[in-house]
Amino acid sequence: METLNDIISSINSVLWGWPMIILLLGTHLYLSVILKFPQRKIFKAIKLSVSRDKEAAGDVSQFGALATALAATIGTGNIVGVGTAIALGGPGAVFWCWLTGVFGISTKYAEGLLAIKYRVKTANGQMLGGPMYALERGLGWKWLGVLFALFCALASFGIGCTVQANAISTLTMETFHISPFLVGGVVCGLTGAVILGGVKSIARVCMAFVPFMAIFYVVGCFYILCANSSYLWPALQMIVSSAFNPSAAGGGFVGGSIMMVARYGISRGLFSNESGMGSAPIVAAAAQTRNPVRQALVSSSGTFWDTVVICALTGLVIVSSALAHPDINFTDGATLTKSAFSKIPFVGGPLLNIGQFTFAFSTILGWSYYGERAVEYLWGKCMTLPYRVVYIIAVFAGSVVSLTFVWNMADCFNALMAIPNLLSLLFLSRVLVRETNHYLWNDHLNEQMNDTELAEVDDSASSTGTT
């Protein structure tokens, strides 16, 4: 197992190396330019996310789809992941992480657009979509759609399930000394109570859960920044200056080259907001929306909240706390984050613990939907219930076992998901430009899309054989 883990780690170093970073960041920049920077419409996107297209076809509201996507996206990576980037790349990594989120808005926009454009409807009226349908219906590359769905289903048991459950049980054990078996049983029961009800049940819980956890965490971070107010401006200066001159950081922060700082910041930003990974458009396809661009805008707001807001706040908290308390431990990302938050009496520790728990549990819920839709695409509706049962069991297993190997496998499958998804975005860029020009830049945002393009599938068999 140790040898296999080393092999997977080596594969990951290649998959998540500079070629992948260049491909992802290059796609962000390319789509931003050809789509005329949809980031300019971010406030319109936020407004649309809390609106409802009652007459439009779909399984859940636009906000329900966004909340489910945010539930899966906002995870422990927003807290510990940012700390890891700072520990390895210095405070300048926060700048590159934030910049990745700004440009990643356009990629998440494009994913949402294709999800609606190429979604299909089952016999019972359920909407299905995602990169596998864009690859099959938009490009005729069914084989690549099958590969994406397979990687997505496998990834759901890794980054979406077992590692999140393990983070919850480890945190509870360290903080309250509660047995992982007991924690695993509770989390397992809570997960089952939600996901067995399907997408509408998941969306209802996420619509209530996500705003609470996000507001709680953001308010807590603002409190810490107020406590560190005298160090806030120096922290901002350090983040910007060390992004281009890492040696200027000083203190306990690492030095190194600009390339190293950029690599850790960009890779963490990409991994955190999942723009380009292809996961979020799976639930975006279920949204009630009158045309692809409206949902595309709503989807793009997810990256704004995840990286531009939450990751940036986490970075500011860690850097300002490190300046205020030079004795903070820089051993690794988790230790750095815990040390930075714990320096704030009364609020810091509970904020970190509650944030990690809620972020991890929400990720479990969101990814259960992604994996279920991937399984349905591969093997049909008959496999969704078995998948849910196995997923619930995996939550318990993840709570009680060591997951170093699973973490590495999850990273691997996430990268493998991103490659076919990015190909669909690049090769369907003409469709993206045409739809964006018509609905967004020519002021047809309220226009109803033509439903004659909506294909129907037999939900008793795999979608790959019945479109």
Side-chain angles (χ1 to χ4, degrees):
M1 181 60 74
E2 184 177 345
T3 302
L4 182 61
N5 188 54
D6 291 339
I7 293 173
I8 297 299
S9 295
S10 300
I11 295 174
N12 278 336
S13 65
V14 175
L15 288 174
W16 284 105
W18 275 110
M20 175 61 78
I21 292 174
I22 292 171
L23 177 61
L24 277 163
L25 189 58
T27 301
H28 290 351
L29 294 170
Y30 173 70
L31 291 175
S32 294
V33 172
I34 67 168
L35 298 177
K36 303 176 185 177
F37 292 92
Q39 292 93 331
R40 292 183 289 160
K41 296 291 185 178
I42 190 61
F43 294 110
K44 177 68 174 179
I46 294 171
K47 181 180 178 181
L48 285 175
S49 69
V50 294
S51 304
R52 192 181 184 100
D53 272 350
K54 294 183 179 180
E55 303 300 322
D59 302 324
V60 296
S61 67
Q62 290 179 311
F63 181 70
L66 174 63
T68 304
L70 281 173
T73 305
I74 300 177
T76 54
N78 294 79
I79 303 177
V80 176
V82 175
T84 300
I86 295 172
L88 296 175
V94 178
F95 174 84
W96 293 106
C97 179
W98 180 83
L99 197 64
T100 302
V102 171
F103 286 106
I105 289 173
S106 61
T107 300
K108 190 63 72 71
Y109 167 92
E111 290 177 320
L113 193 157
L114 295 183
I116 300 297
K117 177 70 176 177
Y118 295 109
R119 69 181 178 179
V120 299
K121 183 170 66 174
T122 65
N124 64 0
Q126 186 180 29
M127 296 293 185
L128 305 175
M132 53 277 205
Y133 294 92
L135 287 163
E136 180 182 344
R137 299 188 63 222
L139 294 169
W141 296 350
K142 182 189 294 186
W143 64 274
L144 198 54
V146 170
L147 283 179
F148 173 87
L150 180 61
F151 295 143
C152 180
L154 293 171
S156 70
F157 288 105
I159 192 63
C161 176
T162 51
V163 296
Q164 304 296 333
N166 188 264
I168 292 173
S169 65
T170 301
L171 172 69
T172 309
M173 180 65 184
E174 292 178 351
T175 306
F176 304 107
H177 307 292
I178 300 176
S179 168
F181 288 91
L182 179 59
V183 175
V186 172
V187 177
C188 184
L190 292 173
T191 302
V194 177
I195 72 172
L196 289 176
V199 63
K200 292 185 178 180
S201 174
I202 295 172
R204 280 196 302 269
V205 173
C206 291
M207 286 171 66
F209 194 56
V210 170
F212 161 76
M213 73 177 194
I215 292 172
F216 175 83
Y217 185 74
V218 168
V219 171
C221 285
F222 272 118
Y223 174 84
I224 294 177
L225 292 177
C226 288
N228 293 338
S229 58
S230 59
Y231 296 92
L232 184 56
W233 181 245
L236 283 168
Q237 289 179 310
M238 179 175 285
I239 287 171
V240 176
S241 63
S242 60
F244 304 96
N245 183 18
S247 60
F253 295 108
V254 298
S257 64
I258 295 178
M259 295 294 285
M260 183 185 72
V261 176
R263 177 188 173 185
Y264 286 118
I266 293 171
S267 62
R268 182 44 51 194
L270 296 172
F271 193 81
S272 171
N273 60 51
E274 297 182 12
S275 293
M277 193 178 295
S279 51
I282 296 175
V283 70
Q288 295 171 329
T289 185
R290 67 187 71 175
N291 61 62
V293 169
R294 286 177 72 92
Q295 183 55 37
L297 287 170
V298 172
S299 295
S300 71
S301 67
T303 298
F304 172 80
W305 293 120
D306 175 88
T307 305
V308 179
V309 175
I310 293 181
C311 283
L313 284 175
T314 302
L316 276 173
V317 166
I318 293 175
V319 175
S320 63
S321 295
L323 291 176
H325 307 279
D327 60 327
I328 280 181
N329 194 330
F330 284 79
T331 304
D332 54 53
T335 304
L336 172 59
T337 304
K338 188 175 181 179
S339 299
F341 276 81
S342 64
K343 292 297 182 180
I344 306 300
F346 307 114
V347 174
L351 175 65
L352 179 62
N353 292 335
I354 295 174
Q356 284 185 288
F357 175 84
T358 55
F359 286 8
F361 182 65
S362 69
T363 300
I364 291 174
L365 298 181
W367 267 91
S368 71
Y369 181 78
Y370 297 160
E372 182 178 317
R373 292 285 76 84
V375 166
E376 182 172 353
Y377 179 84
L378 293 169
W379 296 295
K381 186 72 173 179
C382 62
M383 292 303 297
T384 57
L385 181 58
Y387 169 82
R388 293 174 187 175
V389 173
V390 175
Y391 192 87
I392 293 169
I393 295 172
V395 169
F396 181 80
S399 302
V400 299
V401 299
S402 177
L403 294 176
T404 303
F405 175 72
V406 178
W407 262 112
N408 286 328
M409 288 297 295
D411 287 346
C412 181
F413 289 130
N414 285 343
L416 292 173
M417 282 175 61
I419 294 171
N421 177 60
L422 291 170
L423 289 175
S424 73
L425 294 173
L426 294 173
F427 282 92
L428 290 170
S429 58
R430 288 186 179 181
V431 175
L432 294 169
V433 171
R434 184 179 67 242
E435 297 290 312
T436 299
N437 285 340
H438 176 73
Y439 288 110
L440 185 60
W441 303 124
N442 292 333
D443 296 325
H444 294 144
L445 203 55
N446 292 323
E447 182 179 305
Q448 181 72 40
M449 69 181 292
N450 184 3
D451 285 339
T452 58
E453 297 182 8
L454 190 62
E456 292 192 4
V457 298
D458 178 5
D459 57 0
S460 63
S462 67
S463 297
T464 54
T466 54
T467 47

